[in-house]
Coordinates of all heavy atoms in Angstrom, one line a residue:
T84 N -214.5 -1.2 13.7 CA -214.8 -2.1 12.8 C -216.1 -2.7 12.8 O -216.4 -3.3 14.0 CB -213.8 -3.2 12.6 OG1 -212.4 -2.6 12.5 CG2 -213.9 -4.0 11.2
V85 N -216.9 -2.7 11.8 CA -218.3 -3.2 11.9 C -218.2 -4.7 11.2 O -217.5 -4.8 10.2 CB -219.2 -2.5 11.1 CG1 -220.6 -3.2 11.0 CG2 -219.3 -1.1 11.8
C86 N -218.8 -5.6 12.0 CA -218.7 -6.9 11.6 C -220.0 -7.3 11.0 O -221.0 -7.2 11.6 CB -218.3 -7.9 12.7 SG -218.4 -9.7 12.2
Q87 N -220.1 -7.8 9.7 CA -221.4 -8.2 9.1 C -221.8 -9.6 9.5 O -220.9 -10.5 9.5 CB -221.3 -8.2 7.6 CG -221.2 -6.8 7.0 CD -222.5 -6.0 7.1 OE1 -223.6 -6.5 7.2 NE2 -222.3 -4.7 7.0
R88 N -223.0 -9.9 10.1 CA -223.5 -11.1 10.5 C -224.8 -11.4 9.8 O -225.5 -10.5 9.5 CB -223.6 -11.2 12.0 CG -222.4 -11.0 12.8 CD -222.7 -11.2 14.2 NE -221.5 -11.0 15.0 CZ -221.3 -11.4 16.3 NH1 -222.3 -11.7 17.0 NH2 -220.2 -11.1 16.8
E89 N -225.1 -12.6 9.6 CA -226.4 -13.1 9.1 C -226.6 -14.4 9.7 O -225.9 -15.2 10.0 CB -226.4 -13.1 7.5 CG -225.4 -14.1 6.9 CD -225.3 -14.2 5.4 OE1 -224.8 -13.2 4.9 OE2 -225.9 -15.0 4.9
M90 N -228.0 -14.6 9.8 CA -228.5 -15.9 10.3 C -228.3 -17.0 9.3 O -228.8 -16.8 8.2 CB -230.0 -15.7 10.7 CG -230.6 -16.8 11.5 SD -232.3 -16.8 12.0 CE -232.3 -15.2 12.6
V91 N -227.7 -18.1 9.8 CA -227.5 -19.2 9.0 C -228.3 -20.4 9.2 O -228.6 -21.3 8.5 CB -226.0 -19.5 8.8 CG1 -225.2 -18.5 8.2 CG2 -225.5 -19.9 10.2
K92 N -228.8 -20.5 10.5 CA -229.5 -21.6 11.0 C -230.3 -21.3 12.2 O -229.8 -20.6 13.1 CB -228.6 -22.7 11.4 CG -229.3 -24.1 11.6 CD -228.3 -25.2 12.1 CE -227.4 -25.5 10.9 NZ -226.5 -26.7 11.2
I93 N -231.6 -21.9 12.4 CA -232.4 -21.7 13.5 C -232.5 -23.1 14.2 O -232.9 -24.0 13.4 CB -233.8 -21.2 13.2 CG1 -233.7 -19.8 12.6 CG2 -234.7 -21.2 14.5 CD1 -235.1 -19.2 12.2
L94 N -232.2 -23.3 15.4 CA -232.1 -24.5 16.1 C -233.2 -24.4 17.2 O -233.2 -23.5 17.9 CB -230.7 -24.8 16.6 CG -229.7 -25.1 15.7 CD1 -228.4 -25.3 16.4 CD2 -229.9 -26.2 14.8
T95 N -234.0 -25.4 17.3 CA -235.0 -25.5 18.4 C -234.8 -27.0 18.9 O -234.1 -27.8 18.3 CB -236.4 -25.3 17.8 OG1 -236.8 -26.4 17.0 CG2 -236.5 -23.9 17.2
K96 N -235.5 -27.2 20.0 CA -235.4 -28.6 20.6 C -235.7 -29.7 19.6 O -235.2 -30.7 19.6 CB -236.3 -28.6 21.9 CG -235.8 -27.9 23.1 CD -236.7 -28.0 24.2 CE -236.3 -27.4 25.5 NZ -237.2 -27.5 26.5
A97 N -236.7 -29.4 18.9 CA -237.1 -30.5 17.9 C -236.4 -30.5 16.5 O -236.7 -31.4 15.7 CB -238.7 -30.4 17.7
T98 N -235.6 -29.5 16.3 CA -234.9 -29.5 14.9 C -233.5 -29.8 14.9 O -232.8 -29.8 14.0 CB -235.2 -28.3 14.2 OG1 -234.8 -27.2 14.9 CG2 -236.8 -28.0 13.9
I99 N -232.9 -29.9 16.1 CA -231.5 -30.2 16.2 C -231.2 -31.6 15.6 O -231.9 -32.6 15.9 CB -230.9 -30.3 17.7 CG1 -231.1 -28.8 18.2 CG2 -229.5 -30.7 17.8 CD1 -230.8 -28.7 19.7
T100 N -230.2 -31.6 14.7 CA -229.9 -33.0 14.2 C -228.3 -33.3 14.3 O -227.9 -34.4 14.1 CB -230.1 -33.0 12.6 OG1 -229.5 -32.0 12.0 CG2 -231.7 -33.0 12.4
E101 N -227.6 -32.3 14.7 CA -226.2 -32.5 15.0 C -225.8 -33.3 16.2 O -226.3 -32.9 17.3 CB -225.4 -31.2 15.1 CG -225.4 -30.3 13.8 CD -226.6 -29.6 13.4 OE1 -227.6 -29.7 14.1 OE2 -226.7 -28.9 12.4
E102 N -225.2 -34.4 16.1 CA -225.0 -35.3 17.3 C -224.3 -34.6 18.4 O -224.7 -34.9 19.5 CB -224.2 -36.5 16.8 CG -225.1 -37.5 16.0 CD -224.2 -38.8 15.6 OE1 -223.3 -39.2 16.3 OE2 -224.7 -39.3 14.6
E103 N -223.4 -33.8 18.1 CA -222.5 -33.1 19.3 C -223.5 -32.1 19.9 O -223.2 -31.7 21.1 CB -221.4 -32.4 18.7 CG -221.6 -31.2 17.7 CD -221.8 -31.6 16.3 OE1 -221.8 -32.9 16.0 OE2 -221.9 -30.8 15.4
L104 N -224.6 -31.8 19.4 CA -225.5 -30.8 20.1 C -226.7 -31.6 20.9 O -227.5 -30.9 21.7 CB -226.2 -29.8 19.2 CG -225.3 -28.8 18.5 CD1 -226.0 -28.0 17.5 CD2 -224.5 -28.0 19.4
L105 N -226.8 -32.9 20.6 CA -227.9 -33.6 21.2 C -227.4 -34.1 22.6 O -226.3 -34.9 22.7 CB -228.3 -34.8 20.3 CG -228.9 -34.4 19.0 CD1 -229.1 -35.7 18.1 CD2 -230.3 -33.9 19.3
P106 N -227.9 -33.8 23.7 CA -227.5 -34.1 25.0 C -227.8 -35.7 25.3 O -227.1 -36.2 26.1 CB -228.2 -33.3 25.9 CG -229.5 -33.0 25.2 CD -229.2 -32.9 23.8
D107 N -228.7 -36.3 24.6 CA -228.9 -37.7 24.8 C -229.6 -38.2 23.5 O -229.7 -37.5 22.6 CB -229.9 -37.9 26.1 CG -231.1 -37.0 26.1 OD1 -231.7 -36.7 24.9 OD2 -231.5 -36.6 27.1
F108 N -230.2 -39.5 23.7 CA -230.7 -40.1 22.5 C -232.3 -40.2 22.6 O -232.8 -41.0 21.8 CB -230.2 -41.6 22.4 CG -228.7 -41.6 22.2 CD1 -227.8 -41.9 23.2 CD2 -228.1 -41.2 21.0 CE1 -226.4 -41.9 23.0 CE2 -226.9 -41.2 20.6 CZ -225.9 -41.5 21.7
R109 N -232.8 -39.2 23.2 CA -234.3 -39.2 23.3 C -234.8 -38.6 22.0 O -234.1 -37.9 21.2 CB -234.8 -38.3 24.4 CG -234.7 -38.9 25.8 CD -235.3 -38.0 26.8 NE -234.5 -36.7 26.9 CZ -234.9 -35.5 27.1 NH1 -236.2 -35.3 27.3 NH2 -234.1 -34.6 27.3
S110 N -236.1 -39.0 21.7 CA -236.7 -38.5 20.5 C -237.0 -37.1 20.6 O -237.1 -36.5 21.6 CB -238.1 -39.2 20.4 OG -238.8 -38.8 19.3
R111 N -236.8 -36.4 19.4 CA -236.9 -35.0 19.3 C -238.1 -34.6 18.4 O -238.1 -34.1 17.3 CB -235.8 -34.3 18.7 CG -234.3 -34.6 19.4 CD -234.3 -33.7 20.7 NE -233.1 -34.1 21.4 CZ -233.0 -34.0 22.7 NH1 -234.1 -33.6 23.3 NH2 -232.0 -34.4 23.3
M112 N -239.4 -35.0 18.9 CA -240.5 -35.0 18.1 C -241.1 -33.6 18.1 O -241.2 -32.9 19.0 CB -241.6 -36.0 18.7 CG -242.7 -36.3 17.8 SD -242.4 -37.2 16.4 CE -241.9 -38.9 17.1
L113 N -241.5 -33.3 16.8 CA -242.2 -31.9 16.6 C -243.5 -32.4 16.1 O -243.8 -33.2 15.2 CB -241.4 -31.2 15.5 CG -242.2 -29.9 14.9 CD1 -241.7 -28.7 15.7 CD2 -242.0 -29.8 13.5
L114 N -244.6 -31.7 16.6 CA -246.0 -32.1 16.3 C -246.7 -30.8 15.6 O -246.6 -29.8 16.4 CB -246.7 -32.6 17.4 CG -248.2 -32.8 17.2 CD1 -248.6 -33.9 16.3 CD2 -249.0 -33.1 18.6
A115 N -247.2 -30.9 14.5 CA -248.0 -29.8 13.9 C -249.5 -30.2 13.9 O -249.7 -31.4 13.5 CB -247.5 -29.5 12.4
I116 N -250.4 -29.4 14.2 CA -251.8 -29.6 14.5 C -252.5 -28.7 13.6 O -252.3 -27.5 13.8 CB -252.2 -29.5 15.9 CG1 -251.4 -30.5 16.8 CG2 -253.7 -29.8 16.1 CD1 -251.6 -30.2 18.2
K117 N -253.6 -29.2 12.8 CA -254.6 -28.4 12.1 C -255.9 -28.9 12.6 O -256.2 -30.0 12.6 CB -254.4 -28.6 10.7 CG -255.4 -27.9 9.8 CD -255.4 -26.5 9.9 CE -256.5 -25.8 9.0 NZ -256.4 -24.3 9.1
E118 N -256.8 -28.0 13.0 CA -258.1 -28.3 13.5 C -259.2 -27.6 12.5 O -259.1 -26.5 12.2 CB -258.3 -27.5 14.8 CG -259.6 -27.7 15.5 CD -259.6 -26.9 16.7 OE1 -259.2 -25.9 16.9 OE2 -260.2 -27.5 17.8
L119 N -260.2 -28.5 12.2 CA -261.4 -28.1 11.3 C -262.6 -28.5 12.0 O -262.7 -29.8 12.3 CB -261.2 -28.7 10.0 CG -260.0 -28.1 9.2 CD1 -260.0 -28.9 7.8 CD2 -260.1 -26.7 8.8
P120 N -263.6 -27.6 12.2 CA -264.9 -28.1 12.7 C -265.6 -28.9 11.7 O -265.4 -28.6 10.5 CB -265.6 -26.8 13.0 CG -264.9 -25.8 12.2 CD -263.5 -26.3 12.0
I121 N -266.3 -29.9 12.1 CA -267.0 -30.7 11.2 C -268.5 -30.7 11.7 O -268.8 -30.6 12.9 CB -266.6 -32.2 11.0 CG1 -266.4 -32.8 12.3 CG2 -265.3 -32.2 10.2 CD1 -266.1 -34.2 12.2
M122 N -269.4 -30.9 10.7 CA -270.9 -30.9 11.1 C -271.6 -32.1 11.6 O -272.8 -32.0 11.8 CB -271.7 -30.3 9.9 CG -271.2 -29.0 9.5 SD -271.4 -27.7 10.8 CE -270.1 -26.6 10.6
N123 N -271.0 -33.3 11.7 CA -271.7 -34.4 12.0 C -271.9 -34.6 13.5 O -272.5 -35.5 13.9 CB -271.0 -35.7 11.4 CG -269.6 -36.0 12.0 OD1 -269.1 -35.2 12.8 ND2 -269.1 -37.2 11.8
G124 N -271.4 -33.6 14.4 CA -271.6 -33.7 15.7 C -272.8 -33.0 16.1 O -273.4 -32.4 15.3
T125 N -273.4 -33.2 17.2 CA -274.6 -32.5 17.6 C -274.2 -31.1 18.2 O -273.0 -30.9 18.5 CB -275.3 -33.3 18.9 OG1 -274.5 -33.3 20.1 CG2 -275.6 -34.7 18.4
E126 N -275.1 -30.2 18.3 CA -274.9 -28.9 18.9 C -274.4 -29.0 20.4 O -273.6 -28.3 20.7 CB -276.1 -28.0 18.8 CG -276.3 -27.4 17.5 CD -277.3 -26.4 17.5 OE1 -277.3 -25.6 18.5 OE2 -277.9 -26.1 16.5
D127 N -274.8 -30.0 21.1 CA -274.4 -30.1 22.5 C -272.9 -30.7 22.6 O -272.3 -30.5 23.4 CB -275.3 -31.1 23.3 CG -276.6 -30.5 23.5 OD1 -276.8 -29.2 23.3 OD2 -277.6 -31.1 23.7
S128 N -272.6 -31.5 21.4 CA -271.3 -32.2 21.5 C -270.7 -32.0 20.1 O -270.6 -32.9 19.4 CB -271.5 -33.6 21.9 OG -270.2 -34.2 21.9
P129 N -270.2 -30.8 19.7 CA -269.6 -30.7 18.3 C -268.3 -31.5 18.3 O -267.6 -31.7 19.2 CB -269.3 -29.1 18.2 CG -269.2 -28.7 19.7 CD -270.0 -29.7 20.5
N130 N -268.2 -31.9 17.1 CA -266.9 -32.8 16.7 C -265.9 -31.8 15.8 O -266.3 -30.9 15.3 CB -267.2 -34.0 16.0 CG -267.9 -35.0 16.9 OD1 -267.7 -35.1 18.0 ND2 -268.7 -35.8 16.2
T131 N -264.5 -32.2 15.9 CA -263.6 -31.5 15.2 C -262.7 -32.5 14.5 O -262.4 -33.6 15.1 CB -262.8 -30.7 16.2 OG1 -263.7 -29.9 16.9 CG2 -261.7 -29.9 15.5
M132 N -262.4 -32.2 13.3 CA -261.4 -33.0 12.5 C -260.0 -32.5 12.9 O -259.8 -31.3 12.8 CB -261.6 -33.0 10.9 CG -260.5 -33.7 10.2 SD -260.5 -35.5 10.4 CE -262.0 -35.9 9.6
I133 N -259.1 -33.3 13.5 CA -257.7 -32.9 13.7 C -256.7 -33.5 12.8 O -256.8 -34.9 12.5 CB -257.3 -33.4 15.1 CG1 -258.5 -32.9 16.2 CG2 -255.9 -33.1 15.6 CD1 -258.3 -31.5 16.5
G134 N -256.0 -32.8 12.2 CA -255.0 -33.3 11.3 C -253.6 -33.0 12.0 O -253.3 -32.0 12.6
V135 N -252.6 -34.1 11.9 CA -251.4 -34.0 12.6 C -250.2 -34.4 11.7 O -250.5 -35.2 10.8 CB -251.4 -34.8 13.8 CG1 -252.4 -34.3 14.9 CG2 -251.6 -36.3 13.5
A136 N -249.1 -33.8 11.9 CA -247.9 -34.3 11.2 C -246.8 -34.4 12.4 O -246.7 -33.4 13.1 CB -247.4 -33.2 10.3
L137 N -246.3 -35.6 12.5 CA -245.1 -35.7 13.4 C -243.8 -35.8 12.8 O -243.8 -36.7 11.8 CB -245.5 -37.1 14.3 CG -246.6 -37.1 15.3 CD1 -247.2 -38.5 15.5 CD2 -246.2 -36.3 16.5
V138 N -242.9 -35.1 13.2 CA -241.5 -35.2 12.5 C -240.5 -35.3 13.7 O -240.5 -34.5 14.7 CB -241.3 -33.8 11.9 CG1 -239.9 -33.8 11.2 CG2 -242.4 -33.6 10.8
D139 N -239.6 -36.3 13.5 CA -238.5 -36.5 14.3 C -237.2 -36.3 13.4 O -236.8 -37.2 12.7 CB -238.4 -37.9 14.9 CG -237.2 -37.9 16.0 OD1 -236.3 -37.2 15.9 OD2 -237.4 -38.8 16.9
A140 N -236.8 -35.1 13.3 CA -235.6 -34.6 12.4 C -234.3 -35.3 12.8 O -233.5 -35.6 11.9 CB -235.5 -33.1 12.5
S141 N -234.1 -35.8 14.0 CA -232.9 -36.4 14.4 C -232.7 -37.7 13.8 O -231.6 -38.3 13.6 CB -232.8 -36.5 16.0 OG -233.7 -37.4 16.4
I142 N -233.8 -38.4 13.4 CA -233.7 -39.8 12.8 C -234.5 -39.8 11.5 O -234.6 -40.8 10.8 CB -234.3 -41.0 13.6 CG1 -235.7 -40.6 13.9 CG2 -233.4 -41.0 14.9 CD1 -236.5 -41.9 14.6
G143 N -235.0 -38.6 10.9 CA -235.6 -38.5 9.7 C -236.9 -39.3 9.6 O -237.3 -39.7 8.4
Q144 N -237.7 -39.2 10.5 CA -239.0 -40.0 10.7 C -240.0 -39.0 10.4 O -240.1 -37.9 11.2 CB -239.2 -40.7 12.0 CG -240.3 -41.6 11.9 CD -240.4 -42.4 13.3 OE1 -239.9 -42.0 14.3 NE2 -241.2 -43.5 13.2
V145 N -241.1 -39.2 9.6 CA -242.2 -38.4 9.5 C -243.5 -39.2 9.4 O -243.5 -40.3 8.8 CB -242.1 -37.6 8.1 CG1 -243.3 -36.6 7.8 CG2 -240.9 -36.8 8.1
G146 N -244.5 -38.7 10.1 CA -245.8 -39.3 10.0 C -247.0 -38.4 10.0 O -246.8 -37.2 10.4
F147 N -248.0 -38.7 9.2 CA -249.1 -37.9 9.0 C -250.4 -38.7 9.6 O -250.5 -39.9 9.5 CB -249.4 -37.5 7.6 CG -248.2 -36.8 7.1 CD1 -247.2 -37.4 6.4 CD2 -248.1 -35.4 7.2 CE1 -246.1 -36.7 5.9 CE2 -247.0 -34.7 6.7 CZ -246.0 -35.4 6.1
G148 N -251.5 -38.0 9.9 CA -252.7 -38.7 10.2 C -253.8 -37.6 10.5 O -253.6 -36.4 10.5
E149 N -255.0 -38.1 10.6 CA -256.1 -37.3 11.0 C -257.1 -38.2 11.6 O -257.2 -39.4 11.5 CB -256.8 -36.6 9.8 CG -257.3 -37.7 8.7 CD -257.9 -37.0 7.5 OE1 -257.6 -35.8 7.2 OE2 -258.8 -37.7 6.8
F150 N -258.0 -37.5 12.5 CA -259.0 -38.2 13.3 C -260.0 -37.2 13.7 O -259.8 -36.0 13.7 CB -258.3 -38.8 14.4 CG -257.5 -37.9 15.3 CD1 -258.1 -37.2 16.4 CD2 -256.0 -37.9 15.2 CE1 -257.3 -36.4 17.1 CE2 -255.3 -37.1 15.8 CZ -256.0 -36.4 16.9
V151 N -261.2 -37.8 14.1 CA -262.2 -36.9 14.5 C -262.1 -36.9 16.1 O -261.9 -38.0 16.8 CB -263.7 -37.5 14.1 CG1 -264.8 -36.7 14.9 CG2 -263.8 -37.6 12.6
D152 N -262.4 -35.8 16.6 CA -262.2 -35.7 18.2 C -263.4 -35.0 18.7 O -264.1 -34.3 18.0 CB -260.8 -34.9 18.4 CG -260.2 -35.4 19.8 OD1 -260.9 -36.1 20.6 OD2 -259.1 -35.0 20.1
D153 N -263.6 -35.3 19.9 CA -264.8 -34.6 20.7 C -264.4 -33.2 21.2 O -263.2 -32.8 20.9 CB -265.1 -35.5 21.8 CG -264.0 -35.8 22.9 OD1 -263.2 -35.0 23.0 OD2 -264.2 -36.9 23.5
E154 N -265.2 -32.5 21.8 CA -265.0 -31.1 22.2 C -264.0 -31.1 23.4 O -263.3 -30.1 23.6 CB -266.3 -30.4 22.8 CG -266.9 -31.0 23.9 CD -268.2 -30.4 24.3 OE1 -268.7 -29.7 23.5 OE2 -268.6 -30.5 25.5
R155 N -263.7 -32.2 23.9 CA -262.7 -32.2 25.1 C -261.3 -32.6 24.5 O -260.4 -32.5 25.2 CB -262.9 -33.2 26.2 CG -264.3 -32.9 26.9 CD -264.7 -33.9 28.0 NE -263.6 -34.3 28.9 CZ -263.3 -35.5 29.1 NH1 -264.1 -36.5 28.8 NH2 -262.2 -35.8 30.0
R156 N -261.3 -32.8 23.3 CA -259.9 -33.2 22.6 C -259.2 -34.3 23.3 O -258.0 -34.4 23.4 CB -259.0 -32.0 22.5 CG -259.5 -30.7 22.0 CD -260.0 -30.9 20.6 NE -260.4 -29.6 20.0 CZ -261.6 -29.1 19.8 NH1 -262.6 -29.8 20.4 NH2 -261.9 -28.0 19.4
S157 N -260.1 -35.4 23.6 CA -259.5 -36.5 24.3 C -258.5 -37.4 23.5 O -257.4 -37.8 24.0 CB -260.7 -37.4 24.9 OG -261.5 -37.8 23.8
R158 N -258.7 -37.5 22.2 CA -257.9 -38.2 21.3 C -256.6 -37.4 21.1 O -255.4 -38.0 21.1 CB -258.4 -38.5 20.0 CG -259.7 -39.6 20.2 CD -260.1 -40.1 18.8 NE -259.3 -40.9 18.3 CZ -259.4 -41.4 17.0 NH1 -260.4 -41.0 16.3 NH2 -258.5 -42.2 16.6
L159 N -256.7 -36.1 20.9 CA -255.4 -35.4 20.9 C -254.7 -35.3 22.2 O -253.4 -35.4 22.1 CB -255.8 -33.8 20.5 CG -254.7 -32.9 20.5 CD1 -253.7 -33.3 19.3 CD2 -255.3 -31.5 20.1
E160 N -255.3 -35.3 23.4 CA -254.6 -35.4 24.6 C -253.9 -36.7 24.7 O -252.7 -36.7 25.1 CB -255.7 -35.4 25.7 CG -255.0 -35.2 27.1 CD -256.1 -35.1 28.2 OE1 -257.0 -34.3 27.9 OE2 -255.8 -35.5 29.3
T161 N -254.5 -37.8 24.2 CA -253.8 -39.1 24.2 C -252.6 -39.2 23.3 O -251.5 -39.6 23.8 CB -254.9 -40.2 23.7 OG1 -255.9 -40.2 24.7 CG2 -254.1 -41.6 23.8
L162 N -252.7 -38.5 22.2 CA -251.6 -38.4 21.2 C -250.5 -37.7 21.8 O -249.3 -38.1 21.7 CB -252.0 -37.8 19.9 CG -251.1 -37.7 18.9 CD1 -251.4 -38.5 17.6 CD2 -250.7 -36.2 18.5
L163 N -250.8 -36.4 22.4 CA -249.8 -35.7 23.1 C -249.0 -36.5 24.3 O -247.8 -36.4 24.5 CB -250.3 -34.6 23.7 CG -250.7 -33.4 22.7 CD1 -251.6 -32.4 23.3 CD2 -249.4 -32.6 22.1
A164 N -249.9 -37.3 25.1 CA -249.3 -38.0 26.1 C -248.4 -39.2 25.6 O -247.4 -39.6 26.1 CB -250.4 -38.7 27.0
R165 N -248.8 -39.8 24.4 CA -248.0 -40.9 23.9 C -246.7 -40.5 23.4 O -245.6 -41.1 23.5 CB -248.9 -41.6 22.9 CG -248.1 -42.8 22.2 CD -249.0 -43.5 21.2 NE -248.2 -44.6 20.6 CZ -248.5 -45.2 19.6 NH1 -249.7 -44.9 19.0 NH2 -247.9 -46.1 19.0
Y166 N -246.7 -39.4 22.5 CA -245.5 -39.1 21.8 C -244.7 -38.1 22.5 O -243.5 -37.9 22.2 CB -245.8 -38.5 20.4 CG -246.2 -39.7 19.4 CD1 -247.6 -39.9 19.2 CD2 -245.4 -40.5 19.0 CE1 -248.1 -40.9 18.4 CE2 -245.8 -41.6 18.1 CZ -247.0 -41.7 17.8 OH -247.4 -42.7 17.0
R167 N -245.2 -37.2 23.4 CA -244.5 -36.3 24.2 C -243.6 -35.3 23.3 O -242.4 -35.3 23.6 CB -243.8 -36.9 25.4 CG -244.7 -37.7 26.3 CD -244.0 -38.3 27.5 NE -243.4 -37.1 28.1 CZ -242.8 -37.2 29.2 NH1 -242.5 -38.3 29.8 NH2 -242.2 -36.0 29.8
P168 N -244.2 -34.7 22.5 CA -243.3 -33.9 21.6 C -242.6 -32.8 22.3 O -243.0 -32.2 23.2 CB -244.4 -33.3 20.6 CG -245.6 -33.3 21.2 CD -245.6 -34.4 22.1
Q169 N -241.3 -32.5 21.8 CA -240.6 -31.4 22.3 C -241.1 -30.0 21.9 O -241.1 -29.1 22.6 CB -239.1 -31.4 21.7 CG -238.3 -32.6 22.3 CD -238.0 -32.6 23.7 OE1 -237.6 -31.4 24.1 NE2 -238.4 -33.6 24.5
E170 N -241.8 -29.9 20.7 CA -242.5 -28.8 20.3 C -243.8 -29.0 19.6 O -243.9 -30.1 18.9 CB -241.5 -28.1 19.2 CG -240.4 -27.5 19.8 CD -239.5 -26.7 18.7 OE1 -240.0 -25.7 18.2 OE2 -238.4 -27.2 18.5
V171 N -244.7 -28.2 19.7 CA -246.1 -28.3 19.1 C -246.3 -27.1 18.2 O -246.3 -25.9 18.8 CB -247.1 -28.5 20.0 CG1 -248.6 -28.6 19.5 CG2 -246.9 -29.7 21.0
L172 N -246.6 -27.1 17.1 CA -247.0 -26.0 16.2 C -248.5 -26.1 16.0 O -249.0 -27.1 15.6 CB -246.3 -26.1 14.8 CG -244.8 -26.2 14.9 CD1 -244.3 -26.3 13.5 CD2 -244.2 -24.8 15.4
V173 N -249.2 -24.9 16.2 CA -250.6 -24.8 16.0 C -250.9 -23.6 15.3 O -250.3 -22.5 15.6 CB -251.4 -24.7 17.5 CG1 -252.8 -24.7 17.2 CG2 -251.0 -26.0 18.2
E174 N -251.8 -23.6 14.3 CA -252.2 -22.4 13.6 C -252.8 -21.4 14.7 O -253.6 -21.7 15.4 CB -253.2 -22.7 12.5 CG -253.7 -21.6 11.7 CD -254.7 -22.0 10.6 OE1 -255.4 -23.2 10.9 OE2 -255.0 -21.3 9.7
Q175 N -252.3 -20.1 14.5 CA -252.8 -19.1 15.4 C -254.2 -18.6 14.9 O -254.4 -18.2 13.8 CB -251.9 -17.8 15.5 CG -252.4 -16.9 16.5 CD -251.3 -15.7 16.5 OE1 -250.3 -15.8 16.0 NE2 -251.7 -14.7 17.3
D176 N -255.2 -18.8 15.7 CA -256.5 -18.5 15.4 C -257.3 -18.1 16.7 O -257.5 -19.1 17.6 CB -257.2 -19.6 14.6 CG -258.6 -19.3 14.2 OD1 -259.2 -18.4 14.6 OD2 -259.3 -20.0 13.3
E177 N -257.7 -17.0 16.9 CA -258.3 -16.6 18.2 C -259.5 -17.3 18.4 O -259.9 -17.6 19.6 CB -258.6 -15.1 18.1 CG -257.4 -14.1 18.0 CD -256.3 -14.2 19.2 OE1 -256.9 -14.5 20.4 OE2 -255.2 -14.3 19.0
S178 N -260.3 -17.7 17.5 CA -261.6 -18.4 17.7 C -261.4 -19.8 18.1 O -262.4 -20.4 18.6 CB -262.5 -18.3 16.4 OG -261.8 -19.2 15.4
R179 N -260.2 -20.4 18.1 CA -259.9 -21.8 18.5 C -258.9 -21.9 19.5 O -258.0 -22.7 19.6 CB -259.5 -22.5 17.2 CG -260.6 -22.8 16.2 CD -260.2 -23.8 15.2 NE -261.2 -24.0 14.2 CZ -261.7 -23.2 13.4 NH1 -261.2 -22.0 13.2 NH2 -262.7 -23.6 12.6
S180 N -258.8 -20.8 20.4 CA -257.8 -20.8 21.4 C -257.9 -21.9 22.4 O -256.9 -22.1 23.2 CB -257.8 -19.4 22.1 OG -259.0 -19.2 22.7
E181 N -258.9 -22.7 22.3 CA -259.1 -23.6 23.5 C -258.4 -25.0 23.0 O -258.3 -25.8 23.8 CB -260.6 -24.1 23.7 CG -261.3 -24.8 22.5 CD -261.6 -24.1 21.3 OE1 -261.4 -22.9 21.3 OE2 -262.1 -24.9 20.3
L182 N -257.7 -25.0 22.0 CA -257.1 -26.3 21.4 C -256.2 -26.9 22.4 O -256.3 -28.1 22.7 CB -256.5 -26.0 20.1 CG -255.7 -27.2 19.3 CD1 -256.8 -28.3 19.1 CD2 -255.1 -26.8 18.1
L183 N -255.2 -26.2 22.9 CA -254.3 -26.7 23.8 C -254.3 -26.3 25.2 O -253.5 -26.5 26.0 CB -252.8 -26.3 23.2 CG -252.5 -27.0 22.0 CD1 -251.1 -26.6 21.6 CD2 -252.4 -28.6 22.1
S184 N -255.6 -25.7 25.5 CA -255.7 -25.3 26.9 C -256.1 -26.4 27.8 O -256.4 -27.5 27.5 CB -256.8 -24.2 26.9 OG -258.0 -24.6 26.3

């Protein structure tokens, strides 16, 4: 007998909302990042506009923001250290592979 199956849900660390599946009460933050080069930096020190969306599906919290960052991504690094997201989504772009390196 063949059993028909279909996918009904995708669960990841940052998208679990069912209390019985949550091992503890820590935040389940998901961070999405969009990077755009901007022209107001110098050639020696180019700047980048960073757009972010933070989502904690377990408590229904959403936040958005944008900021100008330096070539070392120091403000982005600070944001990652502060919120410690369970997952990070970044647009796949070979020319910007240094974003999270």
Side-chain angles (χ1 to χ4, degrees):
T84 304
V85 175
C86 177
Q87 293 288 339
R88 294 182 182 193
E89 59 184 76
M90 186 179 312
V91 294
K92 189 183 290 190
I93 296 174
L94 296 176
T95 67
K96 288 182 180 182
T98 61
I99 295 174
T100 58
E101 291 82 358
E102 288 184 22
E103 62 273 6
L104 298 176
L105 293 169
D107 53 34
F108 296 103
R109 285 184 293 147
S110 175
R111 303 281 177 215
M112 195 67 68
L113 171 95
L114 172 64
I116 301 170
K117 174 65 177 174
E118 177 186 43
L119 294 171
I121 56 176
M122 297 301 148
N123 69 348
T125 66
E126 280 194 30
D127 294 337
S128 179
N130 288 329
T131 302
M132 177 65 71
I133 305 284
V135 296
L137 288 159
V138 178
D139 188 337
S141 66
I142 60 171
Q144 184 177 29
V145 178
F147 300 93
E149 64 182 18
F150 51 89
V151 175
D152 212 347
D153 57 30
E154 66 181 19
R155 293 180 49 222
R156 307 299 187 266
S157 55
R158 294 186 72 189
L159 179 59
E160 186 176 326
T161 300
L162 183 116
L163 288 166
R165 178 176 179 193
Y166 288 101
R167 302 186 59 178
Q169 294 288 311
E170 291 184 63
V171 177
L172 300 176
V173 180
E174 179 180 25
Q175 185 175 354
D176 185 346
E177 297 298 323
S178 67
R179 291 185 177 76
S180 61
E181 78 281 354
L182 180 61
L183 291 176
S184 56

